[in-house]
Amino acid sequence: MQFLISVLRSVPLFYVVLMWPGRYVLWGLWDSDAYYPALMYDSGVWSVRLLIAALAVTPTLLLINRIGRGQALGRWLLPRRRHLGIASALYAGLHLIHYVRALGGLDAIIFDLRFLAYQTGWASLILLLVLAATSNARAVRAMGKGWKRLHLWVYPAGVLALWHWYLLDWYTGRILFWCGVFMVPIVAKWVLRRVRVRFFA
């Protein structure tokens, strides 16, 4: 039993689980024949999915507190919110690496920056990397209250990522679906903080 608890608490194992669905993206770093559109799609989609998962932790904890059940799950989830956000940034970083490798030069990257589709992508990436770099106890202590204000930028980062995706994909149905999923934890957090009805009393 103690071994199982240790496994569930293992941070390296948690990252293996998070990165496993995108293993093709990692393998593409060494495989020159990897299919570029698949590398870009998978890395971008998993970055968005994990960002949404990180946002979903707070309303989940609020719900657990409200219903008075599932505290063990809450204690397990709380420290993993940070790792979900970092994993989202890792996928975004892989997205960038494959993009830069495919273009092959700074001139092509600068040329792409003329277009809103790439401007939104770069802006989202920069925000995610800043948030990941400050997702540690030292940054929390050093920044004080400013840390929470900085990490509110996770919402614009998500909006920019979805906008970037839409401008390159133009598949309206798919983007509307993910926009809806993105809004679920945001709306749930707002409702749970303002509605004072206790569930399952």
Side-chain angles (χ1 to χ4, degrees):
M1 185 63 179
Q2 188 62 38
F3 174 75
L4 179 60
I5 293 173
S6 298
V7 168
L8 290 174
R9 290 178 176 174
S10 171
V11 172
L13 180 60
F14 190 62
Y15 275 98
V16 170
V17 171
L18 294 179
M19 301 307 289
W20 181 254
R23 58 193 180 279
Y24 182 71
V25 177
L26 287 168
W27 180 249
L29 295 174
W30 295 275
D31 185 2
S32 59
D33 294 326
Y35 186 49
Y36 174 71
L39 294 174
M40 295 302 290
Y41 183 81
D42 286 356
S43 57
V45 168
W46 277 105
S47 179
V48 170
R49 287 172 177 168
L50 290 172
L51 180 63
I52 294 171
L55 293 177
V57 171
T58 296
T60 301
L61 295 176
L62 290 171
L63 182 60
I64 287 171
N65 289 334
R66 183 66 60 84
I67 66 178
R69 300 175 187 176
Q71 283 78 8
L73 174 62
R75 287 192 295 272
W76 184 84
L77 272 177
L78 181 59
R80 281 154 185 80
R81 174 173 51 190
R82 175 184 304 176
H83 301 304
L84 288 166
I86 292 172
S88 173
L90 287 174
Y91 273 110
L94 289 168
H95 193 72
L96 171 66
I97 290 170
H98 288 302
Y99 167 71
V100 170
R101 287 178 60 186
L103 264 64
L106 184 60
D107 290 344
I109 294 172
I110 294 174
F111 177 83
D112 277 352
L113 276 172
R114 297 186 308 158
F115 304 101
L116 183 61
Y118 294 95
Q119 293 167 7
T120 51
W122 278 101
S124 178
L125 172 69
I126 291 168
L127 287 175
L128 288 175
L129 293 179
V130 169
L131 295 174
T134 55
S135 291
N136 56 77
R138 180 179 296 179
V140 174
R141 290 193 300 269
M143 298 179 67
K145 293 181 179 179
W147 186 88
K148 284 191 174 182
R149 289 195 295 270
L150 173 65
H151 279 252
L152 288 175
W153 281 92
V154 67
Y155 300 106
V159 171
L160 287 165
L162 288 166
W163 194 2
H164 166 68
W165 187 359
Y166 172 67
L167 290 173
L168 290 176
D169 189 23
W170 288 101
Y171 191 159
T172 305
R174 179 157 51 205
I175 297 302
L176 286 176
F177 171 79
W178 283 108
C179 285
V181 175
F182 177 73
M183 289 301 299
V184 168
I186 298 173
V187 173
K189 178 181 175 181
W190 185 89
V191 170
L192 287 166
R193 282 185 168 170
R194 285 160 178 79
V195 176
R196 299 301 178 184
V197 176
R198 181 177 175 84
F199 300 102
F200 310 116

